[in-house]
Amino acid sequence: MSGRLTWAPRAWIDGRWAKRVLLCAGRNGHWEEITTDVPPPPHAQRLCAPVLPGLVDAHSHAFQRAFAGLAERREAPADDFWSWRDRMYRVALRITPAQLRAVAAQLYAELLRGGYTQVCEFHYLQHDLDGRPYPDPLTTSWALADAAADAGIGLTMLPVLYQRAGFAQPQLRDDQRRFATDAAAVRALQRGLAGSGRPLLNAGVAIHSLRAAEPQAIDRLVDGLGDVPVHIHVAEQTAEVADCLQATGLRPIEWLCRHGAPDARWQLVHATHATPAEIEAVAHSGAGVVICPSTEANLGDGLTDIPGWLHAGVPLAIGSDSHVTRAWPEELRWLEYGQRLRLQQRNVCADPGRGESATAARLLQCALDAGGRAAGFARWGLQVGARADLLVLDAEDGALAGVPDERLLDALVFSSPGAPFRDVMIAGRWVPRDRPGATPDFAAAMRALWSEA
């Protein structure tokens, strides 16, 4: 072993706890060798707590961190996703690139503390405040990339195809003026990001939704694109399903599977309102699904059929989306709790028949396997060839102290620990721990954005 050596008493490898694990990070920042059941060599860094892989936050709108907690009052007779969206647009129309960087840097540091080491940024905030393109079309993308570099987190940028306000609205609304793109523009943005040579940065593409993009443009975007991630919001709201049915005669996921030909590059974000036939069609296509439990609950989206997706073998990643929650244990907790409420059962996502009786373990492994692919990585987690990321558990945290080793994951997910991760490694390097409060730049950006509210 010629790389940097780290030894841990336990490590989560291939869906189980392995004991006495020696991990070697190569000069390229990837795991070069992993050995179990060995004593700690004298020249290895010896950890005293179990380690986990870092997770991918597979769906993020970073600018919406500036809106978290600020849409929780109802002045009208009803409040739903669409009224929330109109209020969210006010932030989108005001935030400058400098403020975006400050907000994103705060967010990405919080995501690191919440156990994420990579974030997929579904990025549609492209133009200046008046809707005119910046001289450098990548201005807002660089703001996010700089913020990720400030925090030390990995970033998958996903510039978004966004053309129209709805199936029957061929133009964007005025409050969507900063979002306008076509297929050629998105391809150019993706090439510019992918070719930047920045460490810990890669790029795919995204389609905002079927209602926001013309079918011909979707075809132009993905034709000959290569092996990069393709993300799309789909079937998040019942109104979206009804509009798609009226416009096309098909439900959104049904239409996509018949006409969009998704494959293993594709990630269907939310997929909340999916029928059993649609779940089977997605499974047949090889595409994955990204579930965002805390945001879907906050927005009143509804509950998708998690047991159905799991039974069909569809990869399930998780995302924090609008960032009302910024830690993956809470996302996994609410992924399971939503199903418990829906079905009035417990441990819904466990599968004893397949030897997977631990709910947290099954959900964690699903999120690990699917998240790496959603971010465009062939390998992810504690395995040779994957990026050398890991999380060191704080076994003295109140929710974990005294818990038997084999039940640590159960307590991590279902006992609501406040700060379960002691240290974070990304690409073989320890990420400096920042103070948990707000940065001055973030506080200043929030004051500026909300001074007139």
Side-chain angles (χ1 to χ4, degrees):
M1 295 186 181
S2 58
R4 180 175 180 173
L5 299 179
T6 303
W7 183 93
R10 283 177 176 259
W12 186 258
I13 299 175
D14 293 333
R16 65 178 183 87
W17 285 114
K19 297 180 180 179
R20 304 196 306 161
V21 180
L22 184 63
L23 303 113
C24 177
R27 295 178 182 273
N28 63 355
H30 289 67
W31 295 122
E32 191 173 84
E33 191 171 347
I34 298 176
T35 310
T36 61
D37 293 317
V38 295
H43 51 290
Q45 180 178 13
R46 182 172 179 173
L47 304 177
C48 297
V51 300
L52 292 169
L55 260 70
V56 172
D57 183 340
H59 190 64
S60 165
H61 303 296
F63 79 91
Q64 292 180 19
R65 173 63 182 85
F67 194 46
L70 294 171
E72 306 310 320
R73 298 185 181 188
R74 177 168 63 88
E75 308 296 343
D79 192 13
D80 59 14
F81 169 87
W82 306 101
S83 53
W84 171 90
R85 186 187 72 162
D86 290 343
R87 285 174 282 172
M88 178 270 292
Y89 281 173
R90 299 172 195 170
V91 181
L93 291 175
R94 295 188 64 184
I95 195 166
T96 67
Q99 292 167 342
L100 177 61
R101 176 174 177 173
V103 169
Q106 172 76 21
L107 166 68
Y108 294 155
E110 292 170 339
L111 293 180
L112 279 172
R113 289 192 290 271
Y116 298 108
T117 58
Q118 183 80 17
V119 57
C120 296
E121 192 60 48
F122 197 104
H123 179 50
Y124 55 80
L125 194 64
Q126 303 293 351
H127 303 308
D128 209 338
L129 306 187
D130 59 5
R132 289 183 296 181
Y134 290 105
D136 178 359
L138 286 165
T139 293
T140 55
S141 295
W142 297 139
L144 293 166
D146 290 342
D150 292 342
I153 200 169
L155 180 66
T156 300
M157 285 295 299
L158 302 165
V160 174
L161 175 64
Y162 208 136
Q163 295 177 295
R164 62 189 187 183
F167 290 104
Q169 299 169 280
Q171 305 298 320
L172 291 172
R173 298 174 7 173
D174 182 63
D175 56 5
Q176 297 170 323
R177 60 184 179 269
R178 299 189 75 181
F179 313 156
T181 51
D182 59 20
V186 174
R187 292 281 290 259
L189 293 168
Q190 191 274 334
R191 288 194 300 269
L193 291 161
S196 69
R198 292 192 177 208
L200 302 182
L201 175 66
N202 68 324
V205 299
I207 300 120
H208 181 271
S209 55
L210 293 181
R211 69 176 184 273
E214 299 168 354
Q216 299 86 346
I218 296 174
D219 291 341
R220 288 194 295 271
L221 177 64
V222 300
D223 184 37
L225 183 63
D227 189 19
V228 301
V230 180
H231 290 222
I232 182 172
H233 293 136
V234 67
E236 181 179 5
Q237 288 288 319
T238 54
E240 174 194 345
V241 175
D243 288 349
C244 191
L245 274 167
Q246 183 175 7
T248 71
L250 300 173
R251 298 167 58 87
I253 297 174
E254 182 185 16
W255 187 96
L256 193 63
C257 289
R258 288 195 188 185
H259 298 283
D263 53 36
R265 298 171 301 169
W266 285 68
Q267 300 294 321
L268 312 188
V269 181
H270 303 304
T272 307
H273 303 285
T275 66
E278 288 173 315
I279 291 173
E280 287 301 320
V282 174
H284 181 74
S285 76
V289 168
V290 182
I291 310 297
C292 307
S294 62
T295 288
E296 289 153 7
N298 184 270
L299 300 183
D301 289 346
L303 292 167
T304 194
D305 180 9
I306 297 298
W309 291 112
L310 290 172
H311 181 75
V314 175
L316 294 184
I318 58 168
S320 60
D321 196 354
S322 67
H323 307 298
V324 290
T325 290
R326 299 175 288 279
W328 64 254
E330 188 167 353
E331 297 292 352
L332 293 187
R333 179 162 61 250
W334 281 104
L335 188 65
E336 166 71 18
Y337 279 179
Q339 301 305 305
R340 295 186 185 192
L341 291 167
R342 183 175 74 93
L343 299 172
Q344 300 180 51
Q345 299 175 16
R346 298 191 72 250
N347 291 304
V348 174
C349 295
D351 190 351
R354 296 178 52 186
E356 296 177 308
S357 60
T359 301
R362 189 183 189 201
L363 291 178
L364 171 63
Q365 197 58 42
C366 285
L368 279 169
D369 294 342
R373 196 178 75 164
F377 296 109
R379 293 178 178 271
W380 188 262
L382 300 183
Q383 58 175 305
V384 173
R387 197 174 70 199
D389 294 9
L390 61 78
L391 310 170
V392 182
L393 283 177
D394 183 358
E396 300 307 313
D397 183 88
L400 302 182
V403 172
D405 286 344
E406 291 298 329
R407 300 299 179 98
L408 279 174
L409 274 183
D410 299 10
L412 176 64
V413 173
F414 293 110
S415 189
S416 304
F421 306 116
R422 177 181 294 172
D423 292 293
V424 180
M425 176 187 288
I426 296 182
R429 297 179 179 273
W430 295 108
V431 177
R433 289 174 58 89
D434 295 325
R435 63 185 182 88
T439 66
D441 288 347
F442 173 72
M446 289 294 286
R447 284 192 294 270
L449 286 168
W450 295 104
S451 61
E452 298 176 6

